[in-house]
């Protein structure tokens, strides 16, 4: 695989992990997601900043956590009507969040 193609895959994955994590209600912190996947918060940060690709077992766990096929994590656009454990979220909810209720604006605790 050439460098440019790998960078493109990293970038798509990074964007999608962050969108999926932040679209949860309540949204997941990097630390909470890391705990669910059995990795460190630093690993999640690296994935979301496109510094590296996660190993295969983490990709599978990510896909299962968000109710997706593993290849969907690398798509330019996420599939419509993504079903999740805490409810149902659509692509519209992910890309057009209300700034007043956007979970990124609230301080989150990892209780």
């Amino acid at each position: 695989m050439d460098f440019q193609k790998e960078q493109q895959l990293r970038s798509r994955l990074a964007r999608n992990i962050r969108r999926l994590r932040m679209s949860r209600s309540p949204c997941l912190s990097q630390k909470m997601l890391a705990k669910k996947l059995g990795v460190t918060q630093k690993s999640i940060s690296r994935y979301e900043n496109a510094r590296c690709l996660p190993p295969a077992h983490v990709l599978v766990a990510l896909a299962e956590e968000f109710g997706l096929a593993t290849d969907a994590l690398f798509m330019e656009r996420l599939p419509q009507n993504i079903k999740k454990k805490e409810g149902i979220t659509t692509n519209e909810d992910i890309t057009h969040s209300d700034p007043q209720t956007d979970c990124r604006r609230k301080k989150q605790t990892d209780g």
Side-chain angles (χ1 to χ4, degrees):
M1 178 182 309
D2 66 22
F3 180 74
Q4 187 175 11
K5 182 71 171 176
E6 184 177 340
Q7 285 299 106
Q8 183 181 36
L9 288 175
R10 284 184 191 185
S11 178
R12 286 180 183 175
L13 179 66
R15 183 184 59 243
N16 288 338
I17 291 172
R18 182 163 179 81
R19 284 181 180 167
L20 290 164
R21 183 176 62 78
M22 300 303 284
S23 71
R24 283 283 177 94
S25 183
C27 60
L28 287 171
S29 68
Q30 287 182 342
K31 186 175 180 181
M32 290 166 35
L33 180 58
K35 185 175 180 180
K36 288 179 175 241
L37 301 177
V39 298
T40 64
Q41 180 273 325
K42 189 173 185 176
S43 293
I44 299 297
S45 177
R46 287 179 177 163
Y47 307 152
E48 287 187 1
N49 287 298
R51 291 185 178 220
C52 65
L53 290 170
H57 72 279
V58 175
L59 285 172
V60 170
L62 273 166
E64 288 176 357
E65 178 64 29
F66 294 112
L68 297 168
T70 52
D71 62 334
L73 294 171
F74 294 96
M75 291 181 172
E76 183 68 35
R77 297 188 63 122
L78 290 168
Q80 296 290 325
N81 298 323
I82 301 167
K83 294 183 180 181
K84 300 194 184 98
K85 294 175 184 173
E86 284 84 12
I88 297 175
T89 302
T90 64
N91 228 16
E92 183 177 9
D93 296 329
I94 294 169
T95 57
H96 304 290
S97 62
D98 180 0
Q100 298 296 335
T101 60
D102 192 336
C103 60
R104 289 171 285 193
R105 294 179 179 257
K106 299 175 187 173
K107 180 155 174 76
Q108 188 173 32
T109 59
D110 291 329

